[in-house]
């Protein structure tokens, strides 16, 4: 168990807190590019700060303070111009660096005063990569937005899924280094949710945890596998500081504040070889619900929804003074120790682990990926349909509930399949190169 003081170090993320200062030294995805196909401005609460994310008429993104410093109007209701965001109350205009560039009446009445030159609001840089919008809220010079290897893979259908989860970020990230929960929370609980009492999933018999340059690796052996299996030979990743990575699937746990987390997933599905070359013009994004609107109950049908149930069940901020860790929690203990070490490093003026500052390195950052061949080389459509795991994913998005029909249709078109009247995956007529 942890003391209350140490628990606060891990969980408090507001301005000036040790963990807040550590996490602000990384780029975090905070939304998706395709969101701004329909809107130009939206509010964004991050690390306890109320901000506005926008895309101006020149295509530039900005992330600025939500309150206009003139009379504190809400800039979430502002409107974009060719360069910047204009307050809808009195027309003051701000660029993506937070500088006030126009004050319509003051510019006419007292142009010699040049009040606008002295007005600047809080702002943070935003970059687009892999269909997501990334923000950096730390000290300059900023590191590079990581180009993780899967971002460079070709011939894939990608999508971004966003949810807000009412609990602290750290209990979400601890899930990334907890292999045994797969056996119970996903496999066995799914059996019971179907109304069955068995058979249960194979039991874990051996766990391993190790560090690498960009995070931690967990490895596992179940009673139906051995150490030659990729889940032991390669493993899965908890990337610094708040990412879970399965190779074709990244999950970020971005703090909204101490009691709420922005869950952002980037998912990749390799199209069948018959569909190559596949070029996706737009990466769709959608918001996944966490509760059933009709009943108010937590949704538990999909993998990440099951995780959400576990995370919020620990309370808004998990009370780690009441824990009793066991042998399966060695990864949890390792993760916490590393964060305490990184908090010390930042306090001493050093970079935390996992930052990328070299342009050549960032062209493509290789990661240990257990099933790389499936995602890079691909399979035929029949091989995909026959695959014991990926074949099930052809029918529906397995990771989270609520995928919109338009995204389903785009996915099925990319994969060259249809769902028949009986709910079976069948081949669609093959055509020329597909563009999503």
């Amino acid at each position: 168990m942890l003391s209350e003081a140490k628990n606060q170090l891990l969980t408090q993320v507001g301005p000036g807190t040790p963990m807040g200062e550590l996490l602000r030294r990384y780029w975090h995805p905070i939304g998706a590019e395709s969101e701004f196909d329909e809107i130009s401005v939206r509010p964004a609460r991050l690390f306890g700060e109320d901000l506005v994310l926008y895309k101006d008429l020149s295509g530039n993104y900005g992330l600025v303070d939500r309150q206009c410093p003139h009379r504190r109007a809400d800039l979430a209701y502002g409107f974009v111009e060719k360069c910047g965001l204009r307050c809808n109350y009195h027309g003051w205009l701000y660029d993506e660096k937070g500088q006030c560039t126009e004050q319509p009446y003051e510019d006419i009445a007292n142009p010699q005063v040049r009040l606008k030159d002295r007005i600047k609001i809080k702002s943070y840089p935003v970059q687009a990569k892999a269909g997501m919008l990334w923000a950096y809220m730390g000290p300059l010079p900023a590191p590079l937005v990581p180009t993780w290897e899967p971002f460079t893979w070709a011939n894939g259908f990608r999508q971004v899924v966003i949810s807000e989860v009412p609990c602290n970020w750290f209990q979400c990230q601890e899930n990334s280094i907890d292999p045994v929960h797969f056996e119970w929370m996903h496999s066995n609980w799914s059996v019971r949710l179907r109304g069955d009492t068995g058979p249960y999933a194979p039991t874990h018999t051996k766990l391993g945890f190790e560090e690498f340059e960009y995070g931690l690796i967990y490895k596992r052996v179940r009673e139906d596998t051995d150490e030659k299996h990729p889940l032991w030979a390669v493993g899965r990743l908890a990337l610094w500081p708040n990412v879970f990575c399965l190779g074709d699937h990244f999950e970020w746990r971005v703090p909204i504040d101490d009691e709420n987390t922005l869950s952002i997933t980037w998912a990749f599905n390799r199209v069948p070889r018959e569909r190559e070359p596949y070029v996706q013009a737009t990466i769709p994004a959608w918001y996944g619900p966490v509760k059933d609107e009709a009943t108010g109950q937590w949704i538990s049908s999909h993998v990440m929804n099951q995780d959400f149930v576990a995370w919020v069940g620990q309370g808004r901020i998990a009370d780690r003074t009441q824990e009793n860790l066991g042998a399966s929690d060695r990864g949890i203990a390792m993760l916490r120790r590393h964060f305490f070490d990184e908090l010390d490093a930042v306090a001493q003026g050093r970079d935390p682990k996992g930052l990328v500052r070299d342009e050549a390195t960032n062209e493509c950052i290789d990661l240990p990926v257990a099933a790389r061949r499936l995602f890079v080389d691909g399979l035929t459509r029949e091989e995909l349909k026959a695959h014991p795991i990926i074949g099930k994913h052809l029918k529906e998005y397995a990771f989270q509930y609520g995928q919109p029909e338009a995204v389903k249709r785009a996915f099925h078109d990319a994969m060259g399949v249809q769902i028949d009247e009986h709910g079976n995956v069948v081949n669609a007529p093959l055509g020329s190169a597909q563009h999503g």
Side-chain angles (χ1 to χ4, degrees):
M1 64 180 68
L2 291 180
S3 67
E4 179 60 28
K6 285 192 171 183
N7 196 43
Q8 290 177 356
L9 278 177
L10 294 173
T11 57
Q12 293 181 350
V13 297
T17 61
M19 185 59 79
E21 292 301 306
L22 167 62
L23 294 176
R24 281 169 170 80
R25 282 160 168 76
Y26 298 85
W27 287 89
H28 300 275
I30 60 170
E33 286 186 88
S34 60
E35 287 185 84
F36 288 83
D37 293 342
E38 304 294 332
I39 63 171
S40 57
V41 185
R42 72 162 171 81
R45 182 167 168 82
L46 299 164
F47 294 92
E49 300 184 32
D50 289 313
L51 306 166
V52 173
L53 178 64
Y54 72 86
K55 181 181 181 181
D56 69 20
L57 298 179
S58 298
N60 301 311
Y61 293 100
L63 181 66
V64 299
D65 197 328
R66 187 164 177 175
Q67 307 304 136
C68 176
H70 178 208
R71 297 268 298 282
R72 308 302 293 165
D74 187 352
L75 289 175
Y77 293 94
F79 46 88
V80 295
E81 300 281 11
K82 183 177 180 181
C83 295
L85 178 66
R86 190 181 295 277
C87 179
N88 67 329
Y89 198 13
H90 297 94
W92 289 21
L93 179 66
Y94 303 92
D95 65 18
E96 72 273 11
K97 294 182 180 179
Q99 181 62 51
C100 184
T101 59
E102 290 183 16
Q103 296 171 333
Y105 183 76
E106 284 73 13
D107 290 345
I108 295 172
N110 296 294
Q112 72 282 0
V113 174
R114 296 193 64 82
L115 175 62
K116 64 188 176 186
D117 293 347
R118 303 195 297 273
I119 301 295
K120 188 173 184 178
I121 60 176
K122 178 169 54 182
S123 66
Y124 298 109
V126 177
Q127 289 189 30
K129 178 170 284 190
M132 295 173 288
L133 297 176
W134 303 67
Y136 179 75
M137 301 174 67
L140 300 175
L144 302 172
V145 181
T147 305
W148 301 120
E149 174 195 345
F151 294 170
T152 71
W153 290 343
N155 294 308
F157 181 88
R158 302 158 178 85
Q159 57 190 304
V160 176
V161 189
I162 305 171
S163 293
E164 292 189 9
V165 187
C167 68
N168 184 264
W169 80 281
F170 198 73
Q171 59 217 60
C172 309
Q173 184 58 12
E174 286 183 317
N175 190 75
S176 305
I177 198 70
D178 179 7
V180 172
H181 93 274
F182 279 89
E183 178 184 337
W184 290 97
M185 169 125 279
H186 301 312
S187 298
N188 293 344
W189 192 28
S190 293
V191 170
R192 300 306 296 265
L193 287 170
R194 292 195 300 267
D196 299 326
T197 56
Y200 279 168
T203 299
H204 284 77
T205 59
K206 185 176 181 179
L207 302 177
F209 304 93
E210 58 190 59
E211 184 180 359
F212 81 120
E213 183 176 3
Y214 297 106
L216 300 178
I217 302 174
Y218 76 70
K219 301 182 175 185
R220 63 185 183 187
V221 176
R222 303 187 309 184
E223 57 187 356
D224 63 338
T225 63
D226 56 29
E227 293 184 8
K228 296 179 181 179
H229 193 280
L231 288 180
W232 179 267
V234 180
R236 285 179 167 170
L237 311 176
L239 301 177
W240 301 123
N242 58 341
V243 192
F244 178 51
C245 174
L246 287 79
D248 63 332
H249 180 90
F250 289 78
E251 302 170 15
W252 284 266
R253 290 78 189 256
V254 181
I256 295 173
D257 49 37
D258 290 353
E259 296 189 347
N260 298 278
T261 298
L262 187 66
S263 168
I264 295 193
T265 296
W266 181 92
F268 174 95
N269 288 91
R270 178 65 155 76
V271 303
R273 290 175 182 161
E274 295 93 334
R275 308 298 277 183
E276 300 176 14
Y278 175 82
V279 178
Q280 189 176 24
T282 301
I283 297 177
W286 50 280
Y287 279 76
V290 297
K291 286 187 175 182
D292 185 298
E293 289 186 1
T295 65
Q297 297 295 309
W298 288 91
I299 297 166
S300 59
S301 54
H302 290 58
V303 172
M304 288 196 62
N305 296 94
Q306 293 169 347
D307 286 332
F308 296 163
V309 171
W311 303 346
V312 299
Q314 298 172 57
R316 288 280 188 164
I317 303 176
D319 184 357
R320 293 174 177 81
T321 68
Q322 301 298 310
E323 290 179 330
N324 294 277
L325 300 187
S328 69
D329 299 309
R330 285 185 291 122
I332 302 293
M334 177 184 290
L335 182 74
R336 294 175 185 178
R337 286 197 302 271
H338 278 293
F339 268 105
F340 288 129
D341 290 343
E342 295 308 293
L343 289 170
D344 289 341
V346 170
Q348 295 167 19
R350 304 196 308 271
D351 270 348
K353 292 183 178 179
L355 298 188
V356 184
R357 296 194 182 275
D358 180 68
E359 292 280 0
T361 299
N362 201 44
E363 289 183 7
C364 178
I365 303 173
D366 292 339
L367 293 173
V369 177
R372 178 181 280 103
R373 184 187 65 83
L374 292 177
F375 311 132
V376 176
D377 297 338
L379 300 172
T380 67
R381 189 166 53 177
E382 294 306 313
E383 288 171 334
L384 277 173
K385 290 167 61 179
H387 193 278
I389 298 175
I390 300 178
K392 297 177 182 178
H393 295 177
L394 289 175
K395 185 173 181 179
E396 66 171 356
Y397 184 74
F399 292 107
Q400 198 164 338
Y401 174 84
Q403 186 185 51
E405 286 299 323
V407 181
K408 289 181 185 178
R409 289 194 300 270
F411 170 72
H412 288 146
D413 178 66
M415 305 304 286
V417 300
Q418 296 176 346
I419 308 301
D420 68 14
E421 66 274 16
H422 304 295
N424 300 314
V425 178
V426 297
N427 292 348
L430 286 177
S432 59
Q434 300 295 305
H435 300 271

